[in-house]
Amino acid sequence: MDNTVLDVNIPEFKLRIIENGVVKHAISVRTGQYRKRYLEMSGRVNDLRTKTGEGTIVRHAKNPDFYNPVNGKRFTHTNRDDKKRTVMPQIPWIETEINGLRHGQMIHPTTNPKSLGKAYSNGCIGTGEADAWEIYYNAPLGTKIK
């Protein structure tokens, strides 16, 4: 695993798991929006673009709690693209540290796959649910990310 890198290509909306220089998986993702917005969770206006640079995976949130960053309220259910309302999936979220800073930018699943391939999030890197598991199992703590 020391030779594993997560390569996030923001303009291409792709995350690649590269092991020993070979692409093991290429995953469609969503990235941060190209705008600024007030987020209650931070108490200020934030640049929603996904941060760029190099860093590492610093934490796995194995039983994540879900909060709307816009209003700070906790939620447990979601309205999926298929119009079903379901409980939020308990798939681990992955926290990154980019250029030595933790921006609160996570790699996590979305229950709305229509948003993949777009600048749609509040800065996080969103993936399909199955892809989130793939990343989790291939990117332990300390995995490099760029």
Side-chain angles (χ1 to χ4, degrees), residues 38-67:
Y38 179 82
L39 300 178
E40 183 64 36
M41 286 187 74
S42 66
R44 62 183 168 83
V45 173
N46 291 267
D47 181 347
L48 300 181
R49 292 176 293 178
T50 300
K51 306 300 182 254
T52 61
E54 296 187 9
T56 58
I57 302 301
V58 294
R59 183 173 69 93
H60 289 152
K62 292 183 181 178
N63 297 298
D65 290 327
F66 305 99
Y67 292 88

PDB file of all heavy atoms in Angstrom, residues 38-67:
ATOM      1  N   TYR A  38     -22.402  30.804   1.989  1.00  0.00           N
ATOM      2  CA  TYR A  38     -22.370  30.772   3.442  1.00  0.00           C
ATOM      3  C   TYR A  38     -22.747  29.373   3.916  1.00  0.00           C
ATOM      4  O   TYR A  38     -23.761  28.813   3.504  1.00  0.00           O
ATOM      5  CB  TYR A  38     -23.346  31.795   4.038  1.00  0.00           C
ATOM      6  CG  TYR A  38     -23.359  31.759   5.541  1.00  0.00           C
ATOM      7  CD1 TYR A  38     -22.383  32.436   6.276  1.00  0.00           C
ATOM      8  CD2 TYR A  38     -24.311  31.023   6.237  1.00  0.00           C
ATOM      9  CE1 TYR A  38     -22.379  32.375   7.660  1.00  0.00           C
ATOM     10  CE2 TYR A  38     -24.319  30.967   7.622  1.00  0.00           C
ATOM     11  CZ  TYR A  38     -23.340  31.641   8.328  1.00  0.00           C
ATOM     12  OH  TYR A  38     -23.323  31.585   9.697  1.00  0.00           O
ATOM     13  N   LEU A  39     -21.907  28.789   4.779  1.00  0.00           N
ATOM     14  CA  LEU A  39     -22.182  27.483   5.371  1.00  0.00           C
ATOM     15  C   LEU A  39     -22.266  27.653   6.879  1.00  0.00           C
ATOM     16  O   LEU A  39     -21.299  28.081   7.531  1.00  0.00           O
ATOM     17  CB  LEU A  39     -21.085  26.470   5.016  1.00  0.00           C
ATOM     18  CG  LEU A  39     -20.871  26.182   3.535  1.00  0.00           C
ATOM     19  CD1 LEU A  39     -19.733  25.194   3.340  1.00  0.00           C
ATOM     20  CD2 LEU A  39     -22.147  25.663   2.888  1.00  0.00           C
ATOM     21  N   GLU A  40     -23.412  27.315   7.429  1.00  0.00           N
ATOM     22  CA  GLU A  40     -23.643  27.450   8.868  1.00  0.00           C
ATOM     23  C   GLU A  40     -22.609  26.673   9.678  1.00  0.00           C
ATOM     24  O   GLU A  40     -22.183  27.123  10.742  1.00  0.00           O
ATOM     25  CB  GLU A  40     -25.056  26.978   9.213  1.00  0.00           C
ATOM     26  CG  GLU A  40     -25.429  27.149  10.669  1.00  0.00           C
ATOM     27  CD  GLU A  40     -25.480  28.608  11.111  1.00  0.00           C
ATOM     28  OE1 GLU A  40     -25.889  29.467  10.324  1.00  0.00           O
ATOM     29  OE2 GLU A  40     -25.096  28.873  12.268  1.00  0.00           O
ATOM     30  N   MET A  41     -22.192  25.510   9.176  1.00  0.00           N
ATOM     31  CA  MET A  41     -21.252  24.681   9.940  1.00  0.00           C
ATOM     32  C   MET A  41     -19.920  25.386  10.171  1.00  0.00           C
ATOM     33  O   MET A  41     -19.270  25.152  11.169  1.00  0.00           O
ATOM     34  CB  MET A  41     -21.034  23.336   9.258  1.00  0.00           C
ATOM     35  CG  MET A  41     -22.247  22.431   9.432  1.00  0.00           C
ATOM     36  SD  MET A  41     -21.983  20.772   8.841  1.00  0.00           S
ATOM     37  CE  MET A  41     -20.918  20.122  10.125  1.00  0.00           C
ATOM     38  N   SER A  42     -19.502  26.242   9.257  1.00  0.00           N
ATOM     39  CA  SER A  42     -18.245  26.969   9.445  1.00  0.00           C
ATOM     40  C   SER A  42     -18.489  28.390   9.945  1.00  0.00           C
ATOM     41  O   SER A  42     -17.567  29.047  10.415  1.00  0.00           O
ATOM     42  CB  SER A  42     -17.453  27.024   8.137  1.00  0.00           C
ATOM     43  OG  SER A  42     -18.141  27.806   7.176  1.00  0.00           O
ATOM     44  N   GLY A  43     -19.710  28.871   9.802  1.00  0.00           N
ATOM     45  CA  GLY A  43     -20.045  30.212  10.266  1.00  0.00           C
ATOM     46  C   GLY A  43     -19.500  31.315   9.377  1.00  0.00           C
ATOM     47  O   GLY A  43     -19.339  32.452   9.827  1.00  0.00           O
ATOM     48  N   ARG A  44     -19.215  31.003   8.108  1.00  0.00           N
ATOM     49  CA  ARG A  44     -18.667  32.006   7.204  1.00  0.00           C
ATOM     50  C   ARG A  44     -18.948  31.621   5.751  1.00  0.00           C
ATOM     51  O   ARG A  44     -19.392  30.520   5.470  1.00  0.00           O
ATOM     52  CB  ARG A  44     -17.167  32.166   7.422  1.00  0.00           C
ATOM     53  CG  ARG A  44     -16.363  30.918   7.154  1.00  0.00           C
ATOM     54  CD  ARG A  44     -14.870  31.137   7.476  1.00  0.00           C
ATOM     55  NE  ARG A  44     -14.152  29.895   7.502  1.00  0.00           N
ATOM     56  CZ  ARG A  44     -13.677  29.265   6.437  1.00  0.00           C
ATOM     57  NH1 ARG A  44     -13.839  29.772   5.242  1.00  0.00           N
ATOM     58  NH2 ARG A  44     -13.029  28.130   6.560  1.00  0.00           N
ATOM     59  N   VAL A  45     -18.615  32.534   4.864  1.00  0.00           N
ATOM     60  CA  VAL A  45     -18.713  32.265   3.431  1.00  0.00           C
ATOM     61  C   VAL A  45     -17.504  31.420   3.038  1.00  0.00           C
ATOM     62  O   VAL A  45     -16.375  31.724   3.422  1.00  0.00           O
ATOM     63  CB  VAL A  45     -18.760  33.578   2.624  1.00  0.00           C
ATOM     64  CG1 VAL A  45     -18.691  33.306   1.132  1.00  0.00           C
ATOM     65  CG2 VAL A  45     -20.022  34.365   2.969  1.00  0.00           C
ATOM     66  N   ASN A  46     -17.751  30.354   2.294  1.00  0.00           N
ATOM     67  CA  ASN A  46     -16.690  29.430   1.892  1.00  0.00           C
ATOM     68  C   ASN A  46     -16.575  29.357   0.385  1.00  0.00           C
ATOM     69  O   ASN A  46     -17.577  29.408  -0.327  1.00  0.00           O
ATOM     70  CB  ASN A  46     -17.009  28.008   2.393  1.00  0.00           C
ATOM     71  CG  ASN A  46     -16.917  27.920   3.890  1.00  0.00           C
ATOM     72  OD1 ASN A  46     -15.888  27.582   4.428  1.00  0.00           O
ATOM     73  ND2 ASN A  46     -18.010  28.236   4.571  1.00  0.00           N
ATOM     74  N   ASP A  47     -15.348  29.195  -0.078  1.00  0.00           N
ATOM     75  CA  ASP A  47     -15.097  28.876  -1.480  1.00  0.00           C
ATOM     76  C   ASP A  47     -15.388  27.388  -1.608  1.00  0.00           C
ATOM     77  O   ASP A  47     -14.742  26.569  -0.945  1.00  0.00           O
ATOM     78  CB  ASP A  47     -13.635  29.178  -1.814  1.00  0.00           C
ATOM     79  CG  ASP A  47     -13.273  28.894  -3.253  1.00  0.00           C
ATOM     80  OD1 ASP A  47     -14.062  28.228  -3.964  1.00  0.00           O
ATOM     81  OD2 ASP A  47     -12.187  29.325  -3.675  1.00  0.00           O
ATOM     82  N   LEU A  48     -16.356  27.010  -2.417  1.00  0.00           N
ATOM     83  CA  LEU A  48     -16.797  25.621  -2.501  1.00  0.00           C
ATOM     84  C   LEU A  48     -15.970  24.759  -3.446  1.00  0.00           C
ATOM     85  O   LEU A  48     -16.214  23.559  -3.551  1.00  0.00           O
ATOM     86  CB  LEU A  48     -18.270  25.564  -2.913  1.00  0.00           C
ATOM     87  CG  LEU A  48     -19.250  26.263  -1.971  1.00  0.00           C
ATOM     88  CD1 LEU A  48     -20.667  26.101  -2.489  1.00  0.00           C
ATOM     89  CD2 LEU A  48     -19.122  25.750  -0.554  1.00  0.00           C
ATOM     90  N   ARG A  49     -14.990  25.353  -4.124  1.00  0.00           N
ATOM     91  CA  ARG A  49     -14.177  24.542  -5.031  1.00  0.00           C
ATOM     92  C   ARG A  49     -13.372  23.509  -4.241  1.00  0.00           C
ATOM     93  O   ARG A  49     -12.916  23.770  -3.132  1.00  0.00           O
ATOM     94  CB  ARG A  49     -13.216  25.425  -5.822  1.00  0.00           C
ATOM     95  CG  ARG A  49     -13.925  26.334  -6.811  1.00  0.00           C
ATOM     96  CD  ARG A  49     -12.962  27.247  -7.509  1.00  0.00           C
ATOM     97  NE  ARG A  49     -12.423  28.175  -6.503  1.00  0.00           N
ATOM     98  CZ  ARG A  49     -11.513  29.106  -6.761  1.00  0.00           C
ATOM     99  NH1 ARG A  49     -11.016  29.237  -7.965  1.00  0.00           N
ATOM    100  NH2 ARG A  49     -11.092  29.898  -5.808  1.00  0.00           N
ATOM    101  N   THR A  50     -13.208  22.331  -4.820  1.00  0.00           N
ATOM    102  CA  THR A  50     -12.385  21.292  -4.212  1.00  0.00           C
ATOM    103  C   THR A  50     -10.943  21.796  -4.167  1.00  0.00           C
ATOM    104  O   THR A  50     -10.424  22.283  -5.170  1.00  0.00           O
ATOM    105  CB  THR A  50     -12.485  19.984  -5.027  1.00  0.00           C
ATOM    106  OG1 THR A  50     -13.859  19.574  -5.037  1.00  0.00           O
ATOM    107  CG2 THR A  50     -11.622  18.889  -4.436  1.00  0.00           C
ATOM    108  N   LYS A  51     -10.323  21.706  -3.008  1.00  0.00           N
ATOM    109  CA  LYS A  51      -8.948  22.188  -2.839  1.00  0.00           C
ATOM    110  C   LYS A  51      -7.973  21.314  -3.619  1.00  0.00           C
ATOM    111  O   LYS A  51      -8.129  20.101  -3.694  1.00  0.00           O
ATOM    112  CB  LYS A  51      -8.549  22.209  -1.359  1.00  0.00           C
ATOM    113  CG  LYS A  51      -9.504  22.974  -0.464  1.00  0.00           C
ATOM    114  CD  LYS A  51      -9.625  24.425  -0.850  1.00  0.00           C
ATOM    115  CE  LYS A  51     -10.537  25.183   0.083  1.00  0.00           C
ATOM    116  NZ  LYS A  51     -11.823  25.502  -0.472  1.00  0.00           N
ATOM    117  N   THR A  52      -6.953  21.936  -4.173  1.00  0.00           N
ATOM    118  CA  THR A  52      -5.952  21.213  -4.955  1.00  0.00           C
ATOM    119  C   THR A  52      -4.634  21.149  -4.198  1.00  0.00           C
ATOM    120  O   THR A  52      -4.378  21.942  -3.300  1.00  0.00           O
ATOM    121  CB  THR A  52      -5.725  21.888  -6.316  1.00  0.00           C
ATOM    122  OG1 THR A  52      -5.252  23.222  -6.102  1.00  0.00           O
ATOM    123  CG2 THR A  52      -7.008  21.925  -7.125  1.00  0.00           C
ATOM    124  N   GLY A  53      -3.800  20.195  -4.561  1.00  0.00           N
ATOM    125  CA  GLY A  53      -2.488  20.033  -3.948  1.00  0.00           C
ATOM    126  C   GLY A  53      -2.205  18.571  -3.702  1.00  0.00           C
ATOM    127  O   GLY A  53      -2.787  17.689  -4.333  1.00  0.00           O
ATOM    128  N   GLU A  54      -1.302  18.327  -2.767  1.00  0.00           N
ATOM    129  CA  GLU A  54      -0.934  16.959  -2.413  1.00  0.00           C
ATOM    130  C   GLU A  54      -1.083  16.761  -0.921  1.00  0.00           C
ATOM    131  O   GLU A  54      -0.923  17.693  -0.142  1.00  0.00           O
ATOM    132  CB  GLU A  54       0.499  16.664  -2.856  1.00  0.00           C
ATOM    133  CG  GLU A  54       0.645  16.712  -4.367  1.00  0.00           C
ATOM    134  CD  GLU A  54       2.004  16.261  -4.846  1.00  0.00           C
ATOM    135  OE1 GLU A  54       2.801  15.748  -4.042  1.00  0.00           O
ATOM    136  OE2 GLU A  54       2.256  16.413  -6.052  1.00  0.00           O
ATOM    137  N   GLY A  55      -1.407  15.529  -0.545  1.00  0.00           N
ATOM    138  CA  GLY A  55      -1.583  15.245   0.863  1.00  0.00           C
ATOM    139  C   GLY A  55      -1.755  13.770   1.120  1.00  0.00           C
ATOM    140  O   GLY A  55      -1.236  12.936   0.376  1.00  0.00           O
ATOM    141  N   THR A  56      -2.522  13.477   2.176  1.00  0.00           N
ATOM    142  CA  THR A  56      -2.718  12.083   2.589  1.00  0.00           C
ATOM    143  C   THR A  56      -4.136  11.882   3.122  1.00  0.00           C
ATOM    144  O   THR A  56      -4.846  12.831   3.436  1.00  0.00           O
ATOM    145  CB  THR A  56      -1.730  11.676   3.709  1.00  0.00           C
ATOM    146  OG1 THR A  56      -1.917  12.550   4.826  1.00  0.00           O
ATOM    147  CG2 THR A  56      -0.294  11.720   3.258  1.00  0.00           C
ATOM    148  N   ILE A  57      -4.483  10.605   3.252  1.00  0.00           N
ATOM    149  CA  ILE A  57      -5.716  10.216   3.930  1.00  0.00           C
ATOM    150  C   ILE A  57      -5.387  10.233   5.419  1.00  0.00           C
ATOM    151  O   ILE A  57      -4.455   9.574   5.862  1.00  0.00           O
ATOM    152  CB  ILE A  57      -6.174   8.807   3.501  1.00  0.00           C
ATOM    153  CG1 ILE A  57      -6.387   8.732   1.987  1.00  0.00           C
ATOM    154  CG2 ILE A  57      -7.416   8.386   4.274  1.00  0.00           C
ATOM    155  CD1 ILE A  57      -7.388   9.690   1.429  1.00  0.00           C
ATOM    156  N   VAL A  58      -6.157  10.997   6.205  1.00  0.00           N
ATOM    157  CA  VAL A  58      -5.850  11.138   7.629  1.00  0.00           C
ATOM    158  C   VAL A  58      -6.877  10.524   8.563  1.00  0.00           C
ATOM    159  O   VAL A  58      -6.597  10.339   9.741  1.00  0.00           O
ATOM    160  CB  VAL A  58      -5.622  12.619   8.014  1.00  0.00           C
ATOM    161  CG1 VAL A  58      -4.383  13.169   7.335  1.00  0.00           C
ATOM    162  CG2 VAL A  58      -6.845  13.473   7.689  1.00  0.00           C
ATOM    163  N   ARG A  59      -8.085  10.207   8.024  1.00  0.00           N
ATOM    164  CA  ARG A  59      -9.100   9.648   8.914  1.00  0.00           C
ATOM    165  C   ARG A  59     -10.160   8.927   8.095  1.00  0.00           C
ATOM    166  O   ARG A  59     -10.514   9.348   7.013  1.00  0.00           O
ATOM    167  CB  ARG A  59      -9.760  10.766   9.730  1.00  0.00           C
ATOM    168  CG  ARG A  59     -10.788  10.286  10.730  1.00  0.00           C
ATOM    169  CD  ARG A  59     -11.271  11.442  11.613  1.00  0.00           C
ATOM    170  NE  ARG A  59     -12.061  12.411  10.891  1.00  0.00           N
ATOM    171  CZ  ARG A  59     -13.400  12.385  10.812  1.00  0.00           C
ATOM    172  NH1 ARG A  59     -14.082  11.437  11.426  1.00  0.00           N
ATOM    173  NH2 ARG A  59     -14.044  13.313  10.145  1.00  0.00           N
ATOM    174  N   HIS A  60     -10.648   7.849   8.659  1.00  0.00           N
ATOM    175  CA  HIS A  60     -11.816   7.145   8.117  1.00  0.00           C
ATOM    176  C   HIS A  60     -12.946   7.322   9.129  1.00  0.00           C
ATOM    177  O   HIS A  60     -12.790   6.948  10.291  1.00  0.00           O
ATOM    178  CB  HIS A  60     -11.548   5.652   7.950  1.00  0.00           C
ATOM    179  CG  HIS A  60     -10.597   5.325   6.851  1.00  0.00           C
ATOM    180  ND1 HIS A  60      -9.802   4.213   6.868  1.00  0.00           N
ATOM    181  CD2 HIS A  60     -10.303   5.956   5.691  1.00  0.00           C
ATOM    182  CE1 HIS A  60      -9.064   4.175   5.771  1.00  0.00           C
ATOM    183  NE2 HIS A  60      -9.355   5.222   5.045  1.00  0.00           N
ATOM    184  N   ALA A  61     -14.045   7.892   8.686  1.00  0.00           N
ATOM    185  CA  ALA A  61     -15.236   8.014   9.529  1.00  0.00           C
ATOM    186  C   ALA A  61     -16.093   6.793   9.234  1.00  0.00           C
ATOM    187  O   ALA A  61     -16.861   6.782   8.280  1.00  0.00           O
ATOM    188  CB  ALA A  61     -15.971   9.308   9.237  1.00  0.00           C
ATOM    189  N   LYS A  62     -15.934   5.747  10.060  1.00  0.00           N
ATOM    190  CA  LYS A  62     -16.582   4.469   9.769  1.00  0.00           C
ATOM    191  C   LYS A  62     -18.078   4.456  10.036  1.00  0.00           C
ATOM    192  O   LYS A  62     -18.806   3.698   9.434  1.00  0.00           O
ATOM    193  CB  LYS A  62     -15.885   3.351  10.547  1.00  0.00           C
ATOM    194  CG  LYS A  62     -14.475   3.114  10.047  1.00  0.00           C
ATOM    195  CD  LYS A  62     -13.808   1.970  10.743  1.00  0.00           C
ATOM    196  CE  LYS A  62     -12.395   1.792  10.217  1.00  0.00           C
ATOM    197  NZ  LYS A  62     -11.694   0.727  10.897  1.00  0.00           N
ATOM    198  N   ASN A  63     -18.551   5.278  10.936  1.00  0.00           N
ATOM    199  CA  ASN A  63     -19.989   5.397  11.217  1.00  0.00           C
ATOM    200  C   ASN A  63     -20.352   6.880  11.156  1.00  0.00           C
ATOM    201  O   ASN A  63     -20.583   7.512  12.181  1.00  0.00           O
ATOM    202  CB  ASN A  63     -20.327   4.814  12.593  1.00  0.00           C
ATOM    203  CG  ASN A  63     -20.033   3.337  12.651  1.00  0.00           C
ATOM    204  OD1 ASN A  63     -20.619   2.554  11.916  1.00  0.00           O
ATOM    205  ND2 ASN A  63     -19.103   2.948  13.500  1.00  0.00           N
ATOM    206  N   PRO A  64     -20.385   7.428   9.939  1.00  0.00           N
ATOM    207  CA  PRO A  64     -20.547   8.878   9.824  1.00  0.00           C
ATOM    208  C   PRO A  64     -21.911   9.379  10.287  1.00  0.00           C
ATOM    209  O   PRO A  64     -22.923   8.694  10.156  1.00  0.00           O
ATOM    210  CB  PRO A  64     -20.360   9.130   8.323  1.00  0.00           C
ATOM    211  CG  PRO A  64     -20.719   7.849   7.669  1.00  0.00           C
ATOM    212  CD  PRO A  64     -20.323   6.771   8.635  1.00  0.00           C
ATOM    213  N   ASP A  65     -21.891  10.592  10.845  1.00  0.00           N
ATOM    214  CA  ASP A  65     -23.110  11.348  11.119  1.00  0.00           C
ATOM    215  C   ASP A  65     -23.269  12.296   9.938  1.00  0.00           C
ATOM    216  O   ASP A  65     -22.285  12.715   9.326  1.00  0.00           O
ATOM    217  CB  ASP A  65     -22.971  12.164  12.402  1.00  0.00           C
ATOM    218  CG  ASP A  65     -22.934  11.296  13.645  1.00  0.00           C
ATOM    219  OD1 ASP A  65     -23.604  10.243  13.652  1.00  0.00           O
ATOM    220  OD2 ASP A  65     -22.235  11.665  14.603  1.00  0.00           O
ATOM    221  N   PHE A  66     -24.485  12.667   9.615  1.00  0.00           N
ATOM    222  CA  PHE A  66     -24.747  13.468   8.429  1.00  0.00           C
ATOM    223  C   PHE A  66     -25.338  14.808   8.822  1.00  0.00           C
ATOM    224  O   PHE A  66     -26.369  14.860   9.486  1.00  0.00           O
ATOM    225  CB  PHE A  66     -25.690  12.715   7.486  1.00  0.00           C
ATOM    226  CG  PHE A  66     -25.167  11.351   7.132  1.00  0.00           C
ATOM    227  CD1 PHE A  66     -25.642  10.228   7.788  1.00  0.00           C
ATOM    228  CD2 PHE A  66     -24.183  11.195   6.181  1.00  0.00           C
ATOM    229  CE1 PHE A  66     -25.156   8.968   7.486  1.00  0.00           C
ATOM    230  CE2 PHE A  66     -23.679   9.941   5.874  1.00  0.00           C
ATOM    231  CZ  PHE A  66     -24.172   8.824   6.518  1.00  0.00           C
ATOM    232  N   TYR A  67     -24.670  15.876   8.397  1.00  0.00           N
ATOM    233  CA  TYR A  67     -25.108  17.234   8.665  1.00  0.00           C
ATOM    234  C   TYR A  67     -25.147  18.015   7.364  1.00  0.00           C
ATOM    235  O   TYR A  67     -24.255  17.891   6.530  1.00  0.00           O
ATOM    236  CB  TYR A  67     -24.160  17.938   9.644  1.00  0.00           C
ATOM    237  CG  TYR A  67     -24.217  17.363  11.027  1.00  0.00           C
ATOM    238  CD1 TYR A  67     -23.403  16.295  11.385  1.00  0.00           C
ATOM    239  CD2 TYR A  67     -25.093  17.878  11.971  1.00  0.00           C
ATOM    240  CE1 TYR A  67     -23.468  15.747  12.653  1.00  0.00           C
ATOM    241  CE2 TYR A  67     -25.158  17.332  13.252  1.00  0.00           C
ATOM    242  CZ  TYR A  67     -24.336  16.270  13.584  1.00  0.00           C
ATOM    243  OH  TYR A  67     -24.409  15.728  14.836  1.00  0.00           O
TER     244      TYR A  67
END
